[in-house]
Amino acid sequence: MDYQTTGETIKTLLTLAWLLPLLGFAVEIFAGYWQRDRLSKAAAQMAVGCIGLGFLFSSWALMTYVQATGWNERYEHESAHHKELVAAIEEGKPLPGHGHHEEGHGDGHHDDAHHEHEEGHHEEKHHDGEHKAEESEKQTAITPKDAALAQFAIADPIAAEKPDSEHAEHAEHGHEEHGHDHEEDAEAKHEGPAVFSGVYYRLAKFGDLEINIEYYIDTLTLVMFTMVTFIATCIHIFAMGYMSDELTDEYVDHEAHYANGKHVHRPGRFYKFFAFLSLFCFSMLGLVIAGNIFQVFVFWELVGVCSYFLIGFYVERKSASTAANKAFIMNRVGDFGFLIGLMAIWTTFGTFKFAEPDLAHADKPAGLFQMIRTPGGELDVDEEAGVVYLQDGHGGRLKNDEGLPASMPYWLLVVAGLGVFGGCIGKSAQFPLQTWLPDAMEGPTPVSALVHSATMVAAGVYLAGRFYPMFTPEVLLVIAYVGAITLFVAATIAMVVTDLKQVLAYSTISQLGYMMLGLGIFGWAAGLFHLVTHAFFKSLLFLCSGSVIAACHHEQEMPKMGGLIRKLPITGSAMLVGVIAIAGLSVPGVSFGVIGYILLILGLLFALFDIYKRERTKLPLVATLVVVGLMLSYTGLANAKAAFSGFHSKDAIVATALTYFKMNPAHLLLFILPLITAGLTAFYMFRLWFYTFLGKPRDEHLYDHCHESPLVMTGPLVALSVLAAICAVGGEGGKLFVMLSESAPAMTHAVMAGVGSTVSLNLPGHIDVLTNHSSAGNLATIAAVTGTLIAFVIYGLGLINPADIKSSLKGVHSYLSHKWYFDELYDTMFMKPAHIVARFCAAIDKYVFDAFLHWLSRATLWISKWDRLFDEKFVDGLVNLLGAATFRVGGSFRKLQTGQLRQYVMFIAVAVVTLSVVLFVWFPH
Amino acid sequence: MNSEYLIPAIVALPALGAVAINIFNKAQEDAMRMFAIAVSAVTFFLTLQVWVNFDSTVAGMQMVTDWDWIANWNIRFKVGVDGISLPLVMLTSGISLLALMASKSITKAVKGYLILFLLLESGMLGVFVSLDFFLFYIFWEVMLLPMYFLIGIWGGPRREYAAIKFFLYTLVGSVLMLIAMLMFYFNSGRSFDLLYLARVGQGLEQGYGFDQTTQLIAFILLFIGFAIKLPAFPFHTWLPDAHVEAPTPISMILAGVLLKMGGYGIIRIAFPLCPYGAQTAAWALVAIGAWSIIYGAFAALAQTDFKRLVAYSSVSHMGYVLIGMGVWSISEATGAGVNLQYWQMGLNGAMFQMIAHGVSSAGMFFMVGVIYDRVHHRDLNKFGGLIGKMPLYGGLSIGLFFAGLGLPGLCGFIGEVFVVLSSWQYSKALAILAASGVILTAGYILWAIQRVYLGPEYKGPHPEAITPIEPREAAIASILLIFAIWFGIYPSTMLDVMDGSIAELVQSMDEGYQRVADIAAVSLNQ
């Protein structure tokens, strides 16, 4: 397939996947309203069908992309390359497994290397530049040879002209190979990453300014589509079971009360729930497919309003509607920043389009990313004038109407970046707008799973990643610090809350902080990598918690649970997978294959035990162990490192953070906080799991009535736990990471030093990160293991009573359980003043403007009284023309009105006459 | 129909209908209602004819009718439509039809009500199609009186106070407008023709011209006159009272159509006739607009009366109209416009905001009216749980309120965001101030929704009177909501019609300003 056909196919598939849920919403909401009773599951089936088809179409699109662009070859190349690099780096280091003191030595070594690195920096940069030049020469040399390739090269100027530092080293090698390939089967296949973009329809056009609804599809879009639709499908199916108590004409809401204290009775709202789920998926997919930042804003808000409806699903509960309001309004605070960013961008660039892949057709204007960055991914900054020159997308500067190079103030670019990031802060619940997310747990649990782990809050990170080229180093630094603060603050709170869903809520905030940090410290792919892995294990965790909550009859307090693993084996095991994944545990130096063999042996042992006891109680366990063991040992997984998805992605971020810290020693916090938090994460997640599933049941009644969920709920758990475990296999050499990296902006491939006009930062390149990878990985693993052990000692074994710790650290505990007093602070700082100002404004209207009017009317009355006296006494018999007119008009209205009219009319008449006189005297024309 | 008579027919039809209603017996209330609705529907159909026949590629006036009227004073009956007035004509006829359908709740003196209502419709349509200033003024006053009586007789407990307040405020405005009109008349060789006056104002007519001082004074007079109608801070205090006291259909008309006359007046008369005055006062327009947004939103937040809240939301939303109109940047050195495309966008946004607000606020007032008709109170703290008792009503209301909130995908968003986007190039501070309105708007609307529609149960008086929404009411609300959605996802429907005329306005104002500014430079040199 050629570029056009591929693009059309992928676009059509994704468009279908995007619009199907909208269709679903329309059908569900109307059909649901007019259905006779509330017992039909049709709405859920419709919703599942729509999103399930959406998943099929998305995967189909992804496959089309892989096929048409020859992605597998690129993957093999990248993966082999990655392994070579890792091997090369490891050769120059002490062998792994030498213990902790070696670790320290290793660090020292790194520091030395770092100094050398810095000394030789200038040289290296120069060197790099040479490579860049070479490479771009090659590009131009190759391009005309091969028309089809040219189309692709043009199709993605950003990606195709990446002066990839990694490629730079292998420039000769790699490009010869590539060029060769192309010559061989140029007609049949296209190599290289591709971006597809186009317009659906025009929203508005003013002169040259145009706002469209358009699409922008690269591998990030494709991965997000597949991920979102898959997770949404699982959640939809799960919700069919979870929400089935709404399938009634008489639903009793135990948490909402009438004034007389009785529980609220209402018809079930099963269909409505699924309708809003569908609408939500439509909004989220629209956000991901959006081809310009304005469209992102549109769907951004729609995602917000859908979450408003879903969080406030139990409209009878005051707490739910308040949480929904809070979510929406706090998001709007972020959107206010977003809007400022939009204004700055719109006025400077006159376009919202991300990038135009088809720049070869010269009539098409460049997109934002092409205007702000050179094809090499650099900002064209004039530091003395403090301006950034805009690019024309062809390697030259953009000319304005007078033929001079167009530029924008550097600070304006910073404002635009910070503004848009403000939106991300709101949506992704980052510090300081994080407080809405825990409250949002008022929604039904599937909503929490969908809205608050994999999709809505992910939108903020997605946008930060998508909009990356527009961020200056200053903005990136802000992003990094916001992420670092958030991940730490949220993790500390997560350690003390006892509500099952609240722990997960805070862990979400914390993990989102990791992603933001990753993006901020120049680990573009690392941040988005974590976004995808987190989506899988967090939706898994939320669904598991939903399963627990449903099993415990809507009890969410962990202190009442305990020992549930015996009652909920599937949920418990699935949740353990999620917990291990989020905690980032791994078995160093061991592959999945080995684990598989261990499982097989365990299975065998259990089987023997069963046979010995002549019973079959362990049959399901044995079967599971055997199946999983076989899968691990005899598939492609066998050689992969024994770690779940979260390990790889968190590792990537921590490694980047360590590198960043080494290159910028001033920013120690950006490494220390995520490292400590890695330990805290393991602690609070295992605390949750131990608290819930191990130990003795703390509430016998609860325990006795607890039962495993039906297949419709456990099925999605199993599916998600498989993906949560293996979706990131291979780490940074794995498919997911390579796929994502393909969309990485060109800037992330350049090693940049001393960039930024107000801050001096050294930004880590891929090689630097790889160099630090194993030491960072070890540190993170140590932190995580420590956290896990502490949790195990306290909550698993019960050796230490948590209450003792609580009482000895009373101040800290109370501070943390009040969530750092953010709610109280905002209430005092914003909510109350807003209401005071509001009352003040209303009072001004009443007591100033209206009072003034009333005073005027009284004054007129008083004047007219004296006027009348004057008339009657002194101009007796003579009727003043003005007075008569006043009287007549007044008389004609008298039947209708009270006396006030006369005063008003009098006042008006006097005023008019005065004004006319004044005007005609002063301006006699 | 011959296009020469089409527009006069549209203006005359409701008035003729009003006369014709006299043949009915007082007791035939339903028949009269049906007749009035039929008249209004035919009027709407005729405006639809105009819409169909309208050529959006032509920027100038179309379907112009130009008849002699009072030849001695050179007053003509000149009407026509262009891209600026046509959407408002459509809005007027559409909202009038819906408001008449919503008038079933009026049971007092139905005959008089319908007569006045149809007269009002004629007046409103006349205002939007007049191309002669005197004619415009006449229609402006024609519309005023029926409105005064409609509020004063069919309104709530404080109707008389509200009616007088409305009347006097508007009267002050018309008086100022009258003065400005006479200034133009005597400075232009005695003409009321708006198109001709615009050419004079832009320095295109030899021998006549409005100098800078005249333009500035006239602009200020006109602006105050129209700002009262808009309403903009600080001339807005008539609005909450008028809205609260007016019966539901009249509130719909007030918010949906009457307020737009302020914006229309500015863009049709104040701007083209006084480009110099407009440019000089532009900053004030934007500042007043931004301030109105914030002030209106805060005031809305403090209200406990449902209708008052919606009324203040109108003050807030109409602020965007002023901003969009005012964001006209010029180069200080040459006087030539800079970023004119952005101003064009702002004007488009302002016009769109008027249409969008016409749809959403009429809808919001109607929804308030629906519940008021049942429980006869509007205290926000004494509602609750309505979505459970009246699910369809609740759903439609929330849709319309979100349209007012400016949710993307609904009409309110397009106008607001276009205006805000266009304003950054004019003044960053004011743009930020205007943009901050999104937070407050979300605040008061969501809070209102929470208090009225959500919650476990209804807390106010007459709980027994809460019955599901009637099909008639549901139809009205649905039509408004459908338009709100349609304009939200496909704004080109309106923008394509508007943009041609607005682009021409922008260009002529830019040139006109430079000419007038130059005249001054020349005269200074002499």
Side-chain angles (χ1 to χ4, degrees):
Chain A
M1 282 195 278
D2 65 356
Y3 175 71
Q4 293 289 340
T5 328
T6 315
E8 277 301 309
T9 314
I10 293 180
K11 172 208 154 188
T12 313
L13 288 170
L14 291 192
T15 309
L16 280 172
W18 168 40
L19 294 180
L20 270 171
L22 180 66
L23 175 74
F25 164 73
V27 173
E28 287 149 28
I29 197 90
F30 287 112
Y33 178 74
W34 276 300
Q35 77 190 13
R36 261 167 301 155
D37 55 38
R38 303 303 178 98
L39 306 178
S40 162
K41 278 197 170 185
Q45 285 148 0
M46 175 93 195
V48 171
C50 287
I51 194 70
L53 272 178
F55 170 62
L56 285 183
F57 288 139
S58 308
S59 343
W60 187 355
L62 188 64
M63 287 304 138
T64 312
Y65 179 87
V66 167
Q67 296 271 314
T69 66
W71 184 78
N72 279 324
E73 287 158 40
R74 287 203 303 285
Y75 165 66
E76 296 296 337
H77 176 74
E78 289 287 331
S79 184
H81 182 59
H82 178 77
K83 276 183 194 137
E84 275 173 40
L85 278 176
V86 172
I89 287 163
E90 276 180 3
E91 273 168 32
K93 289 173 70 178
L95 289 169
H98 273 233
H100 297 294
H101 65 282
E102 289 290 349
E103 185 74 31
H105 178 70
D107 267 1
H109 178 79
H110 277 303
D111 275 340
D112 289 348
H114 176 58
H115 286 303
E116 280 164 36
H117 181 86
E118 265 195 334
E119 278 160 31
H121 212 96
H122 186 71
E123 211 179 52
E124 194 177 322
K125 202 179 169 194
H126 182 65
H127 193 59
D128 244 33
E130 270 180 11
H131 274 305
K132 251 177 254 167
E134 251 171 62
E135 196 179 47
S136 55
E137 264 170 42
K138 276 185 191 302
Q139 278 289 345
T140 41
I142 293 166
T143 310
K145 273 189 202 164
D146 177 341
L149 170 69
Q151 218 172 9
F152 257 100
I154 292 153
D156 185 13
I158 311 170
E161 292 177 32
K162 279 169 196 167
D164 193 329
S165 69
E166 180 186 323
H167 271 148
E169 286 193 6
H170 292 251
E172 297 288 324
H173 176 70
H175 270 281
E176 266 170 21
E177 226 176 53
H178 272 260
H180 199 61
D181 281 354
H182 285 303
E183 270 165 31
E184 271 184 2
D185 51 6
E187 297 301 313
K189 263 194 173 176
H190 304 285
E191 303 299 309
V195 176
F196 311 96
S197 180
V199 176
Y200 286 118
Y201 70 90
R202 199 174 75 199
L203 217 49
K205 184 170 174 15
F206 314 105
D208 299 334
L209 306 173
E210 210 173 325
I211 301 181
N212 294 315
I213 295 294
E214 52 201 335
Y215 57 90
Y216 184 86
I217 300 168
D218 59 4
T219 53
L220 178 61
T221 317
L222 287 162
V223 170
M224 287 293 288
F225 250 77
T226 317
M227 182 270 278
V228 169
T229 49
F230 176 77
I231 290 177
T233 309
C234 288
I235 291 170
H236 275 66
I237 295 171
F238 180 89
M240 282 177 86
Y242 187 88
M243 298 303 286
S244 56
D245 54 356
E246 292 273 354
L247 285 167
T248 166
D249 284 321
E250 183 81 1
Y251 178 87
V252 183
D253 191 333
H254 293 281
E255 292 179 41
H257 303 274
Y258 295 123
N260 60 15
K262 285 187 179 155
H263 292 311
V264 168
H265 290 243
R266 61 169 171 85
R269 282 196 291 256
F270 191 72
Y271 77 93
K272 224 180 235 180
F273 182 78
F274 281 93
F276 285 123
L277 276 193
S278 292
L279 187 64
F280 180 83
C281 293
F282 159 74
S283 312
M284 182 66 201
L285 294 174
L287 194 156
V288 176
I289 203 171
N292 59 58
I293 188 72
F294 180 81
Q295 194 181 344
V296 169
F297 185 74
V298 167
F299 286 98
W300 187 262
E301 294 262 304
L302 285 180
V303 166
V305 79
C306 293
S307 77
Y308 166 84
F309 287 128
L310 287 169
I311 295 166
F313 181 73
Y314 298 117
V315 294
E316 287 80 11
R317 302 181 190 166
K318 182 91 193 288
S319 54
S321 55
T322 308
N325 281 358
K326 188 172 175 183
F328 195 87
I329 292 170
M330 292 201 85
N331 267 295
R332 276 243 157 170
V333 175
D335 293 349
F336 169 49
F338 198 154
L339 206 48
I340 293 175
L342 283 186
M343 295 193 289
I345 290 163
W346 180 241
T347 310
T348 313
F349 298 93
T351 182
F352 282 131
K353 197 174 171 53
F354 288 141
E356 173 55 59
D358 209 6
L359 267 182
H361 297 95
D363 57 325
K364 293 197 179 174
L368 291 175
F369 303 159
Q370 291 149 328
M371 283 161 94
I372 201 65
R373 300 234 171 221
T374 62
E378 277 159 8
L379 289 169
D380 187 359
V381 184
D382 182 342
E383 297 215 1
E384 288 197 3
V387 296
V388 185
Y389 288 105
L390 305 188
Q391 309 297 312
D392 62 3
H394 298 283
R397 285 180 176 172
L398 190 72
K399 303 278 190 293
N400 62 14
D401 296 340
E402 286 114 52
L404 299 167
S407 67
M408 73 184 290
Y410 190 81
W411 65 266
L412 194 61
L413 186 60
V414 175
V415 166
L418 285 178
V420 172
F421 179 63
C424 302
I425 290 181
K427 193 111 309 188
S428 285
Q430 297 293 291
F431 172 83
L433 296 179
Q434 80 283 28
T435 59
W436 67 267
L437 196 140
D439 290 21
M441 294 301 131
E442 284 290 338
T445 308
V447 172
S448 315
L450 183 63
V451 176
H452 304 295
S453 65
T455 46
M456 171 171 164
V457 292
V461 182
Y462 167 79
L463 180 63
R466 173 60 82 208
F467 217 53
Y468 212 61
M470 299 298 285
F471 294 144
T472 63
E474 293 83 355
V475 178
L476 288 177
L477 192 65
V478 171
I479 296 179
Y481 269 101
V482 166
I485 294 171
T486 310
L487 65 89
F488 180 71
V489 169
T492 56
I493 302 173
M495 295 196 308
V496 298
V497 287
T498 52
D499 182 310
L500 188 58
K501 278 174 77 180
Q502 292 279 325
V503 179
L504 293 177
Y506 280 105
S507 87
T508 301
I509 301 178
S510 177
Q511 299 302 312
L512 290 165
Y514 270 106
M515 298 169 206
M516 287 296 184
L517 172 75
L519 290 171
I521 54 178
F522 224 56
W524 186 88
L528 291 168
F529 191 33
H530 198 53
L531 172 68
V532 177
T533 60
H534 171 261
F536 285 113
F537 59 69
K538 187 49 65 67
S539 51
L540 168 66
L541 286 169
F542 264 118
L543 290 191
C544 288
S545 79
S547 179
V548 171
I549 290 166
C552 297
H553 300 98
H554 295 272
E555 180 54 62
Q556 303 191 6
E557 281 295 316
M558 293 192 295
K560 295 194 178 162
M561 299 171 182
L564 292 180
I565 189 75
R566 287 185 288 280
K567 290 278 192 153
L568 311 169
I570 304 175
T571 307
S573 334
M575 197 156 195
L576 184 61
V577 172
V579 168
I580 296 175
I582 192 175
L585 287 185
S586 73
V587 192
V590 175
S591 69
F592 266 136
V594 178
I595 303 278
Y597 288 126
I598 296 174
L599 292 183
L600 283 176
I601 293 166
L602 271 178
L604 195 65
L605 286 177
F606 280 124
L608 288 174
F609 189 69
D610 249 15
I611 292 165
Y612 173 71
K613 294 270 251 180
R614 289 170 208 280
E615 55 188 18
R616 285 181 183 177
T617 50
K618 297 206 163 47
L619 192 61
L621 179 65
V622 171
T624 317
L625 286 174
V626 169
V627 170
V628 174
L630 285 174
M631 274 174 65
L632 289 179
S633 314
Y634 295 99
T635 57
L637 293 171
N639 293 323
K641 188 177 166 73
F644 289 170
S645 59
F647 168 81
H648 295 294
S649 52
K650 196 178 284 179
D651 209 24
I653 292 173
V654 175
T656 316
L658 176 60
T659 319
Y660 191 86
F661 156 60
K662 285 189 173 175
M663 295 171 81
N664 308 281
H667 300 295
L668 173 65
L669 272 184
L670 294 183
F671 171 62
I672 291 296
L673 286 179
L675 187 63
I676 294 173
T677 306
L680 299 184
T681 308
F683 171 76
Y684 67 71
M685 285 316 295
F686 274 100
R687 165 179 177 264
L688 175 145
W689 198 80
F690 293 144
Y691 227 153
T692 313
F693 290 104
L694 293 189
K696 287 204 180 94
R698 281 178 286 271
D699 185 334
E700 286 296 337
H701 177 76
L702 193 81
Y703 182 80
D704 291 341
H705 289 82
C706 182
H707 54 84
E708 181 61 285
S709 303
L711 181 65
V712 69
M713 289 162 77
T714 49
L717 297 186
V718 175
L720 279 173
S721 54
V722 170
L723 274 161
I726 62 164
C727 73
V729 154
E732 275 138 283
K735 286 198 176 180
L736 180 59
F737 191 85
V738 173
M739 180 63 99
L740 282 172
S741 312
E742 211 165 275
S743 296
M747 61 190 278
T748 60
H749 294 256
V751 176
M752 296 195 194
V755 289
S757 73
T758 54
V759 290
S760 178
L761 287 175
N762 298 305
L763 300 178
H766 189 59
I767 304 278
D768 306 311
V769 175
L770 275 182
T771 320
N772 289 312
H773 211 290
S774 62
S775 51
N778 290 339
L779 285 175
T781 309
I782 291 165
V785 169
T786 316
T788 312
L789 286 179
I790 296 175
F792 186 63
V793 168
I794 301 178
Y795 298 97
L797 299 175
L799 292 181
I800 304 170
N801 188 355
D804 295 343
I805 309 174
K806 208 188 280 179
S807 56
S808 59
L809 293 171
K810 214 171 190 176
V812 179
H813 185 268
S814 118
Y815 183 68
L816 291 180
S817 42
H818 279 95
K819 297 150 190 179
W820 293 47
Y821 293 97
F822 276 110
D823 280 330
E824 289 79 358
L825 183 73
Y826 292 162
D827 199 45
T828 329
M829 271 176 66
F830 302 111
M831 298 299 289
K832 283 181 184 147
H835 282 288
I836 291 170
V837 172
R839 277 201 292 275
F840 181 70
C841 286
I844 287 185
D845 270 15
K846 203 170 172 184
Y847 298 111
V848 178
F849 292 124
D850 281 355
F852 174 68
L853 284 181
H854 298 159
W855 175 83
L856 264 186
S857 73
R858 277 197 301 277
T860 319
L861 182 71
W862 186 80
I863 292 170
S864 58
K865 225 187 246 167
W866 281 100
D867 185 59
R868 186 178 157 192
L869 269 178
F870 178 80
D871 275 10
E872 286 174 358
K873 301 266 185 219
F874 299 103
V875 203
D876 190 28
L878 285 176
V879 180
N880 182 293
L881 188 66
L882 196 66
T886 314
F887 186 73
R888 268 210 310 281
V889 177
S892 65
F893 284 109
R894 187 176 289 156
K895 282 172 198 152
L896 266 168
Q897 303 308 332
T898 58
Q900 251 183 340
L901 179 69
R902 268 180 57 181
Q903 307 145 23
Y904 275 122
V905 171
M906 180 65 197
F907 156 61
I908 283 301
V910 172
V912 167
V913 170
T914 323
L915 254 176
S916 319
V917 169
V918 168
L919 279 163
F920 281 95
V921 169
W922 282 358
F923 310 104
H925 312 294
Chain B
M1 189 186 278
N2 188 332
S3 69
E4 191 192 347
Y5 295 101
L6 185 55
I7 291 176
I10 288 170
V11 177
L13 193 64
L16 293 175
V19 175
I21 279 189
N22 283 306
I23 62 170
F24 286 94
N25 189 317
K26 233 178 185 177
Q28 297 167 295
E29 289 188 356
D30 284 336
M32 279 190 292
R33 280 207 186 92
M34 286 317 294
F35 178 75
I37 289 175
V39 169
S40 193
V42 173
T43 313
F44 178 71
F45 176 75
L46 290 181
T47 56
L48 214 55
Q49 282 296 112
V50 178
W51 179 268
V52 171
N53 292 333
F54 187 81
D55 181 357
S56 59
T57 56
V58 177
M61 284 293 164
Q62 297 180 41
M63 296 173 236
V64 176
T65 305
D66 191 1
W67 294 331
D68 277 335
W69 188 17
I70 309 173
N72 280 348
W73 293 344
N74 199 12
I75 296 170
R76 309 184 61 77
F77 183 88
K78 187 174 180 185
V79 293
V81 290
D82 67 353
I84 296 171
S85 52
L86 180 56
L88 290 164
V89 170
M90 296 301 299
L91 180 77
T92 308
S93 60
I95 297 288
S96 297
L97 179 57
L98 292 176
L100 264 179
M101 285 165 68
S103 296
K104 195 142 187 287
S105 54
I106 305 286
T107 49
K108 176 171 144 191
V110 176
K111 190 174 183 177
Y113 172 84
L114 293 174
I115 290 174
L116 287 170
F117 190 101
L118 288 174
L119 282 178
L120 176 68
E121 187 178 349
S122 267
M124 296 187 300
L125 287 166
V127 166
F128 288 129
V129 296
S130 296
L131 295 179
D132 185 283
F133 204 162
F134 194 83
L135 191 64
F136 180 92
Y137 187 78
I138 297 286
F139 279 123
W140 186 275
E141 298 294 314
V142 163
M143 159 209 90
L144 179 60
L145 276 171
M147 193 47 127
Y148 170 77
F149 289 111
L150 284 168
I151 298 174
I153 297 175
W154 285 271
R158 291 171 73 234
R159 55 181 175 264
E160 289 164 358
Y161 170 78
I164 294 175
K165 210 169 173 183
F166 164 78
F167 186 86
L168 289 175
Y169 257 110
T170 316
L171 201 65
V172 171
S174 359
V175 166
L176 300 179
M177 188 161 75
L178 181 68
I179 298 166
M181 183 168 90
L182 295 176
M183 285 169 71
F184 293 131
Y185 183 68
F186 290 112
N187 275 316
S188 64
R190 315 215 158 188
S191 171
F192 285 118
D193 185 335
L194 284 174
L195 302 181
Y196 173 78
L197 289 176
R199 291 173 59 79
V200 175
Q202 290 157 12
L204 284 167
E205 292 293 329
Q206 291 296 320
Y208 296 109
F210 309 140
D211 66 23
Q212 294 181 356
T213 328
T214 314
Q215 289 215 4
L216 195 57
I217 300 284
F219 185 83
I220 291 171
L221 292 173
L222 287 172
F223 174 70
I224 295 177
F226 294 130
I228 288 172
K229 201 90 198 166
L230 197 62
F233 183 91
F235 313 112
H236 64 282
T237 60
W238 65 271
L239 183 90
D241 285 311
H243 269 309
V244 167
E245 299 308 325
T248 302
I250 300 308
S251 289
M252 288 169 72
I253 293 285
L254 256 178
V257 183
L258 245 68
L259 306 190
K260 276 73 216 175
M261 290 180 178
Y264 177 75
I266 293 174
I267 204 171
R268 166 66 70 228
I269 296 178
F271 267 30
L273 268 58
C274 328
Y276 181 85
Q279 168 52 39
T280 314
W283 200 87
L285 256 69
V286 180
I288 292 175
W291 180 249
S292 293
I293 292 173
I294 303 302
Y295 187 88
F298 267 121
L301 196 60
Q303 300 306 321
T304 52
D305 183 311
F306 201 2
K307 224 172 172 182
R308 241 184 142 78
L309 178 137
V310 180
Y312 272 108
S313 84
S314 288
V315 177
S316 180
H317 284 131
M318 295 310 279
Y320 289 102
V321 175
L322 276 184
I323 295 184
M325 288 176 176
V327 291
W328 177 11
S329 309
I330 55 161
S331 147
E332 291 297 334
T334 62
V338 289
N339 295 330
L340 283 178
Q341 289 175 348
Y342 289 89
W343 185 36
Q344 187 184 337
M345 180 182 184
L347 281 167
N348 269 295
M351 281 297 299
F352 196 90
Q353 173 73 356
M354 292 208 273
I355 305 296
H357 180 259
V359 172
S360 68
S361 70
M364 287 193 275
F365 276 117
F366 178 67
M367 286 333 227
V368 178
V370 168
I371 190 65
Y372 182 76
D373 287 345
R374 284 167 175 69
V375 297
H376 300 288
H377 80 92
R378 289 184 305 260
D379 188 340
L380 278 170
N381 295 319
K382 290 183 182 165
F383 285 113
L386 290 185
I387 198 153
K389 293 201 166 184
M390 310 167 72
L392 182 58
Y393 166 71
L396 291 169
S397 306
I398 290 175
L400 286 165
F401 274 91
F402 271 115
L405 182 149
L407 186 77
L410 297 168
C411 58
F413 171 71
I414 299 288
E416 283 178 25
V417 82
F418 282 7
V419 165
V420 170
L421 287 175
S422 67
S423 61
W424 179 267
Q425 48 89 25
Y426 185 76
S427 160
K428 295 180 178 60
L430 292 174
I432 290 173
L433 193 63
S436 70
V438 297
I439 305 171
L440 294 170
T441 312
Y444 69 77
I445 289 196
L446 291 187
W447 199 31
I449 288 178
Q450 185 185 22
R451 286 184 286 174
V452 176
Y453 299 105
L454 312 183
E457 62 189 329
Y458 173 74
K459 300 193 284 275
H462 307 299
E464 73 291 343
I466 298 178
T467 48
I469 190 168
E470 291 168 25
R472 175 185 59 89
E473 296 167 326
I476 296 170
S478 306
I479 290 169
L480 287 168
L481 186 57
I482 287 168
F483 275 104
I485 295 172
W486 177 255
F487 291 151
I489 58 178
Y490 201 71
S492 302
T493 318
M494 284 292 165
L495 291 171
D496 283 350
V497 170
M498 293 170 188
D499 190 55
S501 302
I502 289 177
E504 203 205 44
L505 177 75
V506 166
Q507 203 194 343
S508 62
M509 297 259 309
D510 177 43
E511 289 164 5
Y513 172 77
Q514 292 179 54
R515 249 177 250 120
V516 176
D518 266 347
I519 291 170
V522 171
S523 62
L524 272 178
N525 288 340
Q526 287 164 357

